[in-house]
Amino acid sequence: MKKIYLASLICGAMMLSSNAGAVDSTGCGLGSMAWRGQSGPVAQVLAVTTNGLFFTQTFGITFGTSGCDPNGRISGGTGRMTLAFLENNLEQYAMDAAAGHGETIETLAGILNMDSETLGAKSKQNFAFLFENENADAVDVTLRLFQVIEA
Amino acid sequence: MRIFFLIAFFLFCVPEARAEVLSSENEAWLSLVHYRPKSFGGYESTVDSETFFLSPEGKTNPQAELEATIALFNSGDDEKKCLFPARYKLLKSHDVDVGKYPKCKDYEEFYQDLHPAGVTLLFTNAYMNNPSSLFGHTLLRIDTGRKGTQLLAHGANYGAFTAGQENSVLFAVLGLTGGYYGGFTVKPYYDIINTYNNIENRDIWEFNLDFTPEELDFFVAHLWEIGHTQTRYYFFTQNCSYMLMETLDAVRPSLHLSDEFPVQTIPLDTIKAVVSRPGLIKSVNYRPSRQAKIIYRVSQMNDTQYDAFLEAVKHQNWSLEGLNDDEKADVLETAYQYIQYQYVAKDLELGDYRKRSFKALTTRNKIEVKEYFEELKEGKSPAEAHDSMRASVGFGVHNGDGFQEVSYRPAYNSLTDDSYGMLSGAEINFLNVSARHYDRRDNYVLQNFDLVGIKSLFPFNDMFFPFSYNIEAGIQREMNPQTEEEGYVFNLVVGGGVSHNITDNLLLYALVNNHLAYGGFVPHNQWAGLGFVGGIYGNWGKVRLLAEAEKVLATSHFADKMKYKIEAAYGLSRNTAIALNYTYHQNYGHDLDETMISLRQHF
């Protein structure tokens, strides 16, 4: 009799705890979670702007810490939007770049104000450069993408 | 002649142009400030933030609030005026003298960032791993006019600020009693897609609303107003979906959407209400979950492709043996999607995840051939699912005694209900209550009052390993097998196990149930037990069948028994079905044998 009480208690506890491990859905996008490198986006982004690589926008100091804009909105010019987009959609863009087409390429083409077929072809051709290794992060890819487009 | 026209002009046009003076009883004003009629006369606004009201009596006095608003636009400070762009627009459109609207930097930035081009109502289907998502979820999207795609649109989500307590008992208590505040948050649509499609594997339905450009502007202005406020959040009533109804009413008061939800607001019902309004929906689009996409892609694979796919994702053998070039791209892209799925499901460590993703993509990148697989574009629209409430009448025989039964269930879906547009394999029953009349004894009894019944039967296969579970809590009338007397018992059953598909429409399941029972009628007032369940669930559209056997080992002989039950339904329409229930409990030779046939109606 006692054994059954005990067994049912243990079962109950196990079932309750197995549910607690669900993935946290409040994060700032899957891409940022999985692909973000250790290189510290803020420092890099600030370095980038002083190099003059981004041709349109300056970055806000607060930007880049979480992968989301602090007010939850898409804003800024081409550079900032591209980086914000890639920080949150890097895994999808990686797929689309490998194939040469897809929703993220159409979106980036809009942000970059270019033809999506051209961007698709360039992304596919330069995939190995854009994603140098498995640790490529959004900042790397953004910088390289701008090089690819300008080439 | 000219004079005639002139007279006509004065007669018909001038009074028209002056319009009616805005009254505080005006529907547009009432919906804009979220006033709802109180049961015994008067109004009260749903919004709880004091800053939303300009008059100290604003929450309950539409007239005072209207006067205070007019006063603000005539002599108030600009910063405050900037919080109420929609009120300004409404007053202005009724020719109320409100002066010039100031320059509002924050609002203009908000407007520019959104770059609004339309409004879409989003529905995400049920998510069985989170108690607050069992009924699905709705949110709004401000479509973007930016170049590119709607990934750059923004979602406006109304939710409770729960401080990460979602998995605790506290969450349930506070969620039901208004212990949390709710408010709007804005996020890029790509974030929302990631959350729902990719992390939680839920489909998203996009219902594009047919708003005029003025309505769109007014919507954004009102979102700005309401975005600065908070409202008490009640899980069943003033929840995510309800506030969206009030918000849409504020834009087009003639919709009267919130009137339809005086008590409970189930997200699916709000979708149906919106779809039912003539001319409100422009188009509907389906965005399947990642898992649904993977399943659809795998279903298009030939045997060689499927073998190569499993070799790659299971054994890291990426040679794709036996495949032509034009068969490879699809396999690699599916494998990549599956690796993403595995990582989110915590089946993969970050290091392995990155290595495998990179391998899949570099291999894919070297193939010049395009994909052949179709993308999943069509789904079963939740707007066409059966209605949430269900009533049924039936008759049957209980150990030789004839009976009639009526039951009512406010929400939501049983496994033997029509699953069209619902999450298949998921059962969510709330507050199911039944009463009976027995012929021989000629008495009326409450048969059961179930608080909750949740079953999640998702089959495992080569690729997915979901956990199946069962939760039941409620009061049932039971028979004491020794004395054959009847009485009430509170039963709690929590169980877990696995399911496996035999065919597309048929699955087997095995669960271990953990029983706890309490009641004055039970010997020693309580018992606990373990139940071993084997069952079969079939769903062929019109015909649904659930049959299970359970061996219960309990601390009381009262409950030690073998239970069999069969529940079958035949759908006459989406909302009507004939059901057959058979129950047999074997215990001490005083068995329970019950058959019932009933007519079920959803409404």
Side-chain angles (χ1 to χ4, degrees):
Chain A
M1 189 124 113
K2 268 187 184 159
K3 267 185 194 165
I4 297 177
Y5 268 117
L6 196 68
S8 55
L9 269 179
I10 293 171
C11 282
M14 271 165 55
M15 280 152 195
L16 287 177
S17 65
S18 68
N19 221 14
V23 174
D24 172 26
S25 59
T26 54
C28 262
L30 194 55
S32 56
M33 210 169 72
W35 286 82
R36 181 170 299 149
Q38 297 84 16
S39 46
V42 180
Q44 284 214 12
V45 167
L46 290 175
V48 165
T49 44
T50 53
N51 286 341
L53 230 172
F54 288 118
F55 38 85
T56 51
Q57 258 309 318
T58 51
F59 290 85
I61 299 291
T62 52
F63 175 72
T65 46
S66 70
C68 290
D69 263 332
N71 60 11
R73 295 182 339 228
I74 298 169
S75 56
T78 312
R80 179 170 161 175
M81 273 176 68
T82 307
L83 179 60
F85 182 76
L86 286 176
E87 280 212 304
N88 289 284
N89 296 279
L90 200 62
E91 60 163 78
Q92 288 90 331
Y93 174 62
M95 174 74 255
D96 292 349
H101 58 89
E103 196 177 20
T104 62
I105 288 186
E106 286 166 37
T107 311
L108 280 170
I111 296 174
L112 298 164
N113 196 20
M114 61 189 289
D115 171 56
S116 75
E117 274 187 33
T118 314
L119 181 64
K122 284 194 174 190
S123 299
K124 185 170 168 78
Q125 252 164 41
N126 297 289
F127 179 81
F129 173 72
L130 287 167
F131 294 86
E132 198 182 16
N133 58 46
E134 71 238 36
N135 296 318
D137 67 22
V139 176
D140 289 338
V141 177
T142 307
L143 293 177
R144 285 163 183 259
L145 180 61
F146 276 97
Q147 280 179 265
V148 165
I149 295 163
E150 285 179 346
Chain B
M1 196 64 177
R2 191 173 290 172
I3 290 174
F4 175 75
F5 272 121
L6 212 63
I7 292 168
F9 179 80
F10 274 104
L11 274 177
F12 300 112
C13 300
V14 173
E16 193 70 40
R18 277 172 68 189
E20 82 262 41
V21 175
L22 184 65
S23 134
S24 64
E25 294 285 319
N26 180 295
E27 206 170 46
W29 172 251
L30 292 175
S31 1
L32 184 61
V33 193
H34 295 253
Y35 288 116
R36 304 292 304 154
K38 286 200 286 190
S39 327
F40 302 104
Y43 293 95
E44 184 172 6
S45 173
T46 314
V47 177
D48 289 307
S49 289
E50 282 173 19
T51 52
F52 187 64
F53 304 102
L54 295 163
S55 155
E57 301 155 40
K59 188 166 164 69
T60 52
N61 188 339
Q63 178 63 33
E65 185 62 18
L66 178 62
E67 285 163 14
T69 306
I70 295 171
L72 167 74
F73 287 117
N74 281 305
S75 55
D77 72 300
D78 284 358
E79 206 177 313
K80 206 139 204 196
K81 289 180 192 172
C82 285
L83 290 176
F84 298 99
R87 290 194 194 183
Y88 180 85
K89 280 174 199 281
L90 180 71
L91 294 177
K92 184 103 184 151
S93 74
H94 283 80
D95 277 350
V96 180
D97 188 12
V98 281
K100 238 183 114 134
Y101 198 64
K103 188 138 182 66
C104 300
K105 188 170 162 284
D106 287 348
Y107 177 62
E108 276 162 27
E109 276 176 12
F110 176 71
Y111 195 92
Q112 272 167 20
D113 286 349
L114 296 185
H115 206 314
V119 181
T120 297
L121 176 63
L122 306 172
F123 175 79
T124 66
N125 66 4
Y127 181 54
M128 299 303 285
N129 287 333
N130 184 338
S132 57
S133 307
L134 291 174
F135 292 112
H137 182 54
T138 54
L139 59 163
L140 290 164
R141 187 182 78 187
I142 305 100
D143 304 347
T144 182
R146 288 182 198 265
K147 278 190 163 190
T149 66
Q150 289 304 325
L151 292 190
L152 301 176
H154 288 82
N157 184 52
Y158 181 83
F161 302 116
T162 57
Q165 296 164 338
E166 288 85 349
N167 276 319
S168 68
V169 178
L170 192 65
F171 173 74
V173 174
L174 293 176
L176 290 170
T177 57
Y180 291 117
Y181 277 97
F184 274 99
T185 46
V186 169
K187 266 186 175 184
Y189 190 42
Y190 55 66
D191 250 0
I192 287 163
I193 291 171
N194 268 333
T195 303
Y196 294 106
N197 273 175
N198 298 340
I199 296 178
E200 297 185 347
N201 283 300
R202 299 159 72 174
D203 294 342
I204 300 176
W205 286 85
E206 304 170 343
F207 296 88
N208 221 243
L209 306 182
D210 197 3
F211 277 174
T212 63
E214 294 74 36
E215 284 175 323
L216 172 61
D217 262 11
F218 196 74
F219 171 82
V220 175
H222 183 55
L223 189 61
W224 179 253
E225 288 180 354
I226 194 97
H228 286 91
T229 68
Q230 295 197 344
T231 302
R232 278 192 185 280
Y233 192 94
Y234 296 88
F235 188 76
F236 286 115
T237 53
Q238 283 180 21
N239 56 19
C240 58
S241 295
Y242 178 75
M243 278 309 280
L244 302 193
M245 296 298 100
E246 283 199 2
T247 304
L248 295 177
D249 281 345
V251 177
R252 195 186 284 181
S254 61
L255 291 173
H256 292 289
L257 287 164
S258 42
D259 291 354
E260 281 195 26
F261 304 97
V263 188
Q264 60 185 23
T265 316
I266 295 172
L268 187 64
D269 294 346
T270 66
I271 295 291
K272 285 180 181 161
V274 167
V275 169
S276 75
R277 296 299 187 269
L280 184 54
I281 301 289
K282 200 157 54 177
S283 59
V284 182
N285 185 41
Y286 170 59
R287 269 196 97 94
S289 72
R290 169 141 59 206
Q291 190 174 10
K293 282 191 220 166
I294 295 171
I295 291 170
Y296 189 67
R297 281 162 169 265
V298 167
S299 74
Q300 297 175 69
M301 288 182 183
N302 61 38
D303 289 350
T304 335
Q305 279 179 313
Y306 187 59
D307 291 344
F309 167 76
L310 285 184
E311 266 299 301
V313 296
K314 300 266 175 205
H315 307 115
Q316 301 314 302
N317 167 11
W318 295 87
S319 62
L320 305 179
E321 249 164 90
L323 294 189
N324 305 325
D325 260 5
D326 49 356
E327 289 173 324
K328 285 179 182 165
D330 290 309
V331 169
L332 289 164
E333 289 182 20
T334 314
Y336 179 75
Q337 290 288 0
Y338 180 64
I339 294 164
Q340 313 307 304
Y341 170 89
Q342 284 182 302
Y343 178 68
V344 173
K346 300 196 169 168
D347 293 341
L348 270 184
E349 295 294 322
L350 182 62
D352 281 339
Y353 158 74
R354 285 185 171 172
K355 269 192 213 109
R356 292 180 193 185
S357 296
F358 194 65
K359 181 73 192 167
L361 291 189
T362 45
T363 317
R364 165 68 186 95
N365 186 239
K366 288 181 189 115
I367 296 166
E368 287 309 319
V369 189
K370 277 213 165 192
E371 306 82 355
Y372 289 87
F373 286 176
E374 279 174 38
E375 291 297 344
L376 183 55
K377 289 201 183 88
E378 306 261 311
K380 292 172 179 166
S381 171
E384 287 162 42
H386 69 69
D387 294 334
S388 299
M389 293 200 256
R390 190 181 84 182
S392 57
V393 287
F395 61 91
V397 181
H398 173 96
N399 281 2
D401 193 358
F403 67 88
Q404 300 82 45
E405 181 179 293
V406 290
S407 43
Y408 168 71
R409 187 200 66 192
Y412 175 63
N413 180 46
S414 294
L415 286 170
T416 53
D417 290 338
D418 194 323
S419 65
Y420 190 96
M422 312 288 283
L423 192 59
S424 182
E427 171 169 290
I428 302 156
N429 287 326
F430 266 89
L431 304 175
N432 185 31
V433 57
S434 316
R436 278 183 186 179
H437 168 261
Y438 282 102
D439 289 337
R440 205 158 56 200
R441 294 175 255 168
D442 194 23
N443 63 347
Y444 293 88
V445 294
L446 174 74
Q447 184 61 22
N448 61 282
F449 180 65
D450 300 336
L451 298 173
V452 63
I454 300 169
K455 245 198 186 82
S456 174
L457 300 178
F458 292 118
F460 74 87
N461 54 32
D462 288 338
M463 291 155 59
F464 305 110
F465 312 97
F467 175 72
S468 290
Y469 68 85
N470 176 44
I471 298 169
E472 295 163 40
I475 294 163
Q476 275 101 25
R477 190 174 176 88
E478 289 185 4
M479 184 185 82
N480 184 329
Q482 281 152 302
T483 61
E484 297 205 0
E485 279 174 4
E486 287 190 348
Y488 291 102
V489 181
F490 175 80
N491 284 305
L492 174 70
V493 184
V494 180
V498 289
S499 311
H500 186 60
N501 265 114
I502 317 174
T503 72
D504 283 350
N505 304 322
L506 196 66
L507 61 80
L508 293 179
Y509 62 93
L511 302 168
V512 178
N513 275 338
N514 177 39
H515 292 261
L516 290 169
Y518 180 82
F521 165 74
V522 177
H524 310 294
N525 291 335
Q526 59 194 317
W527 61 268
L530 282 176
F532 299 90
V533 185
I536 184 165
Y537 171 56
N539 187 339
W540 296 270
K542 275 188 174 205
V543 178
R544 286 89 64 175
L545 171 76
L546 184 74
E548 70 173 42
E550 179 175 13
K551 172 74 189 164
V552 182
L553 304 175
T555 54
S556 159
H557 291 304
F558 171 84
D560 248 341
K561 61 178 94 171
M562 190 71 206
K563 304 197 311 197
Y564 302 91
K565 79 170 182 199
I566 297 173
E567 195 181 324
Y570 176 77
L572 302 171
S573 73
R574 183 91 13 103
N575 276 326
T576 312
I578 293 175
L580 177 76
N581 289 65
Y582 175 73
T583 311
Y584 190 85
H585 290 183
Q586 199 177 25
N587 184 344
Y588 274 107
H590 295 270
D591 296 350
L592 169 78
D593 184 337
E594 185 180 293
T595 310
M596 179 175 78
I597 188 158
S598 61
L599 182 71
R600 293 174 175 177
Q601 179 69 42
H602 294 273
F603 58 102

